């Protein structure tokens, strides 16, 4: 699979989705902004101008009417000049308003009506105000009722313009609110997509990583791992597939190694038995008398042969007690009697090291369901190890704890020995593993705890170790309880 369509592809899709939403929000805001600018320009260039010019026109009309009356009454030419200036300003304002319509800004039809009406009287007014009058006319402007009509039309046009301003203001407010609303929606969607993208990517990465870590720890602790589930075809899926291939290869090699050791042990055991019998016959002088020096060397040879036989027995036993290979004959076991029998058999070696064995298993301890032969080996291995690593004049306790949620009893073997380094604790139950602190001065092949673990797990229990340097070690394990009829509780 092309890695570009894996995690990198997911990151790119997520990135482009966020970018698309972000720039889509920016585009919508830009469109709204352009519309707001257009409305604002209309208000400034048209509506505000119309409002200003119309106000001036009303003032000019009133000024013309007032100055005409003053002129008629007082006959001062200053009032005539004021009248003319007001009329010119009125006309200029009216033309400016009409020019807005010519520039494409829609204006009220009342302005055209006012202009048409004004145009009828403009020439007459010019003639009358421009002549030299000894007896000026009674009126050189327009009738008052016509001016009132104009004022009414201008006021109506001003009202229309004011309504346009109000509508435009509401539109501006609405668009502003919509812009903020759209911006918040865009920001929320962008944040949500980003969060969902982070959660999805984290989940798609962390889930296979956790499974991979679990598999690695399983191999590190137990030398085997269940195949990982492949949830995707990206780089992590390829990594999981590679891990499964590696785990399967390790499993095959472990099986080959176990089969080889079992075969080799079996093949060596037969000639070794013949050699041991021959040495025993020589030592017993069946073949003739021997001197003391020869007897000494024969004893040494017999001792070494015995040690090799014990090693082969351990190797063959480890092969037979592989996980899933144990065939148990389970029944209700009196754990009190079983533990006492183990203590009695180990007392000589404990007394030889001046170590006290203390069993805290009571007679009323419930029976456990299991195979007595294998459970006896578990106690013998754990208590024997405790004796081996304990200092003289110390004590070893065999205890029983409470019942867990799976109806299993907890048993513990506690010593006050030197303790086990933390880095060694996780590997203690691996086959052939021996801690660096004991390799040089204690015999063994590192199979006892591995065998013990396989037996306990075959019974449906678990085993673990707790230790502190200088304070001793506690090996604990669980076994299922049995009812009166021998079935698990």
């Amino acid at each position: 699979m092309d890695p570009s369509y894996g995690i990198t592809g997911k990151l790119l899709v997520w990135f482009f989705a966020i970018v698309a939403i972000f720039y889509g929000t920016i585009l919508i805001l830009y469109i709204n902004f352009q519309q707001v600018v257009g409305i604002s320009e209309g208000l400034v260039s048209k509506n505000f101008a119309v409002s200003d010019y119309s106000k001036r026109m009303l003032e000019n009309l009133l000024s013309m009417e007032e100055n005409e009356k003053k002129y008629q009454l007082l006959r001062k030419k200053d009032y005539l000049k004021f009248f003319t200036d007001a009329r010119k300003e009125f006309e200029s304002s009216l033309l400016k308003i009409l020019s807005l319509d010519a520039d494409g800004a829609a204006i009220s039809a009342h302005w055209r009506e006012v202009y048409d009406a004004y145009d009828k009287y403009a020439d007459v007014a010019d003639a009358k105000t421009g002549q030299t009058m000894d007896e000026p006319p009674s009126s050189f402007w327009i009738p008052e009722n016509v001016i009132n009509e104009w004022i009414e039309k201008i006021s109506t046009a001003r009202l229309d313009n004011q309504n346009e301003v109000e509508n435009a203001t509401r539109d501006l407010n609405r668009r502003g609110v919509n812009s903020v609303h759209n911006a918040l929606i865009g920001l929320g969607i962008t944040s949500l997509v980003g969060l969902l993208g982070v959660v999805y990517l984290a989940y798609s990465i962390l889930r296979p990583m956790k499974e991979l870590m679990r598999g690695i720890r399983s191999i590190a602790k137990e030398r085997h791992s269940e195949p990982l589930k492949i949830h995707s075809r990206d780089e992590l899926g390829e990594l999981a597939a590679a891990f499964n291939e590696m785990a399967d290869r390790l499993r095959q090699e472990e099986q080959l190694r176990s089969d080889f050791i079992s075969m080799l042990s079996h093949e060596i055991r037969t000639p070794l038995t013949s050699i041991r019998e021959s040495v025993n016959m020589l030592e017993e002088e069946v073949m003739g008398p021997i001197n003391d020096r020869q007897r000494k060397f024969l004893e040494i040879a017999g001792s070494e042969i015995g040690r090799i036989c014990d090693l082969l027995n351990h190797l063959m036993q480890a092969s037979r007690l592989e996980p899933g290979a144990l065939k148990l004959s389970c029944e209700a076991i009196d754990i009190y009697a079983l533990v006492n029998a183990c203590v009695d058999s180990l007392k000589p070696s404990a007394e030889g090291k001046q170590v006290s064995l203390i069993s805290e298993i009571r007679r009323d301890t419930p029976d456990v369901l299991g195979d007595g032969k294998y459970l006896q080996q578990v106690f013998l291995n754990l208590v024997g190890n405790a004796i081996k690593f304990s200092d003289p004049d110390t004590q070893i306790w065999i205890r029983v704890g409470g019942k867990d949620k799976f109806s299993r009893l907890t048993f513990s073997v506690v010593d006050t020995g030197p303790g086990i380094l933390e880095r060694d604790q996780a590997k203690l139950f691996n086959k052939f593993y021996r801690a660096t602190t004991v390799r040089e001065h204690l015999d063994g092949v590192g199979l006892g705890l591995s065998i013990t673990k396989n037996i306990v797990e075959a019974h449906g229990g678990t085993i673990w170790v707790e230790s502190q340097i200088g304070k001793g070690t506690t090996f604990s394990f669980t076994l299922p309880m049995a009812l009166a009829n021998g079935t698990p509780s």
Side-chain angles (χ1 to χ4, degrees):
M1 177 181 176
D2 189 349
S4 63
Y5 293 97
I7 296 176
T8 303
K10 295 175 183 177
L11 287 172
L12 288 176
V13 169
W14 176 51
F15 173 76
F16 283 120
I18 292 178
V19 169
I21 296 172
F22 176 77
Y23 282 104
T25 304
I26 295 296
L27 179 61
I28 294 173
L29 290 177
Y30 176 76
I31 294 173
N32 287 335
F33 178 75
Q34 290 295 321
Q35 293 173 343
V36 168
V37 169
I39 295 172
S40 301
E41 288 179 350
L43 285 173
V44 173
S45 62
K46 173 197 159 185
N47 297 99
F48 291 164
V50 168
S51 178
D52 183 54
Y53 294 145
S54 61
K55 180 180 178 182
R56 293 180 186 180
M57 290 172 64
L58 291 173
E59 293 174 352
N60 292 331
L61 283 175
L62 295 175
S63 177
M64 285 187 286
E65 184 178 10
E66 180 183 357
N67 285 306
E68 180 186 4
K69 291 178 180 179
K70 288 181 179 179
Y71 179 78
Q72 293 289 348
L73 180 63
L74 301 175
R75 299 298 178 175
K76 289 185 178 182
K77 290 188 176 183
D78 290 338
Y79 295 115
L80 182 61
K81 180 178 181 302
F82 294 153
F83 173 86
T84 303
D85 292 341
R87 190 174 70 84
K88 289 180 178 180
E89 188 174 351
F90 174 85
E91 184 178 348
S92 175
S93 297
L94 181 57
L95 291 174
K96 287 179 179 179
I97 291 176
L98 294 175
S99 68
L100 296 175
D101 187 44
D103 293 338
I107 60 174
S108 175
H110 294 295
W111 295 115
R112 176 60 61 181
E113 295 174 2
V114 171
Y115 177 79
D116 293 340
Y118 168 77
D119 194 44
K120 294 178 182 179
Y121 295 93
D123 294 338
V124 176
D126 287 338
K128 288 183 177 182
T129 55
Q131 67 184 356
T132 303
M133 297 178 290
D134 294 331
E135 290 294 335
S138 60
S139 176
F140 51 78
W141 186 222
I142 57 177
E144 184 176 353
N145 62 332
V146 176
I147 291 178
N148 291 335
E149 290 179 3
W150 290 6
I151 291 175
E152 184 178 352
K153 289 182 179 181
I154 292 173
S155 299
T156 303
R158 275 178 58 84
L159 183 60
D160 292 342
N161 184 70
Q162 185 177 351
N163 290 335
E164 287 184 13
V165 171
E166 291 178 358
N167 292 333
T169 303
R170 291 193 187 95
D171 195 19
L172 281 176
N173 180 68
R174 180 180 60 81
R175 291 184 184 278
V177 172
N178 287 341
S179 296
V180 174
H181 186 254
N182 292 335
L184 291 177
I185 291 177
L187 179 62
I189 293 176
T190 303
S191 302
L192 180 62
V193 170
L195 179 61
L196 292 177
V198 169
V199 171
Y200 171 73
L201 288 174
Y203 177 75
S204 63
I205 292 175
L206 291 179
R207 180 177 61 169
M209 288 299 293
K210 286 182 179 179
E211 291 192 8
L212 184 61
M213 290 167 58
R214 175 184 56 79
I216 292 174
R217 290 195 181 101
S218 179
I219 287 181
K221 290 181 179 180
E222 304 175 6
R223 304 289 293 177
H224 67 87
S225 172
E226 295 297 326
L228 301 181
K229 294 181 180 179
I230 300 176
H231 301 283
S232 62
R233 296 183 180 180
D234 54 15
E235 294 88 342
L236 291 173
E238 294 178 357
L239 182 60
F243 176 85
N244 288 338
E245 292 177 4
M246 180 195 71
D248 184 63
R249 182 67 179 270
L250 288 175
R251 194 160 39 247
Q252 293 176 5
E253 291 182 356
E254 183 70 19
Q255 185 62 44
L256 288 174
R257 185 162 49 248
S258 178
D259 293 343
F260 173 76
I261 291 173
S262 178
M263 180 272 296
L264 186 63
S265 301
H266 185 271
E267 293 298 324
I268 292 177
R269 188 174 184 180
T270 301
L272 193 63
T273 301
S274 299
I275 294 173
R276 182 172 60 181
E277 292 300 322
S278 299
V279 169
N280 288 338
M281 292 175 66
L282 290 173
E283 190 177 1
E284 292 173 1
E285 298 184 353
V286 174
M287 304 298 180
I290 57 175
N291 56 39
D292 293 339
R293 186 178 181 185
Q294 290 172 333
R295 186 180 301 280
K296 180 179 179 181
F297 279 103
L298 288 173
E299 289 176 356
I300 294 173
S303 175
E304 292 300 318
I305 291 172
R307 197 162 71 89
I308 294 175
C309 287
D310 291 339
L311 174 60
L312 292 176
N313 288 334
H314 275 92
L315 291 175
M316 294 182 68
Q317 189 179 40
S319 296
R320 292 196 306 270
L321 300 183
E322 287 291 330
L326 274 176
K327 295 181 180 178
L328 303 177
S329 180
C330 293
E331 58 184 356
I333 303 297
D334 184 352
I335 202 68
Y336 172 79
L338 179 68
V339 171
N340 281 334
C342 293
V343 169
D344 291 340
S345 65
L346 291 172
K347 269 188 177 179
S349 60
E351 292 173 353
K353 286 199 67 175
Q354 299 178 356
V355 174
S356 300
L357 295 181
I358 302 174
S359 173
E360 297 181 355
I361 309 295
R362 302 188 335 183
R363 285 187 179 274
D364 58 352
T365 300
D367 291 348
V368 298
L369 185 68
D371 190 313
K373 177 181 65 175
Y374 288 120
L375 293 183
Q376 183 180 35
Q377 187 171 0
V378 169
F379 283 99
L380 289 175
N381 284 349
L382 294 179
V383 178
N385 279 346
I387 295 172
K388 183 189 300 184
F389 292 103
S390 293
D391 297 325
D393 300 322
T394 57
Q395 294 177 324
I396 296 173
W397 294 270
I398 305 170
R399 295 170 176 166
V400 62
K403 181 176 69 172
D404 65 10
K405 62 181 180 180
F406 301 108
S407 297
R408 299 179 304 188
L409 287 178
T410 301
F411 298 90
S412 300
V413 177
V414 184
D415 65 54
T416 55
I420 303 171
L421 294 174
E422 186 175 357
R423 67 171 183 266
D424 292 328
Q425 292 179 24
K427 305 174 185 176
L428 284 177
F429 299 102
N430 292 344
K431 284 198 303 184
F432 307 112
Y433 180 80
R434 302 185 69 214
T436 54
T437 55
V438 302
R439 291 175 186 171
E440 298 180 357
H441 59 278
L442 287 175
D443 293 334
V445 292
L447 289 173
L449 290 177
S450 175
I451 293 172
T452 300
K453 178 176 182 293
N454 290 338
I455 294 174
V456 170
E457 290 183 349
H459 282 80
T462 57
I463 185 170
W464 65 94
V465 62
E466 298 170 338
S467 182
Q468 292 184 1
I469 296 298
K471 295 185 178 180
T473 302
T474 299
F475 281 92
S476 303
F477 60 95
T478 58
L479 293 174
M481 296 172 58
L483 295 177
N485 58 3
T487 59
S489 61

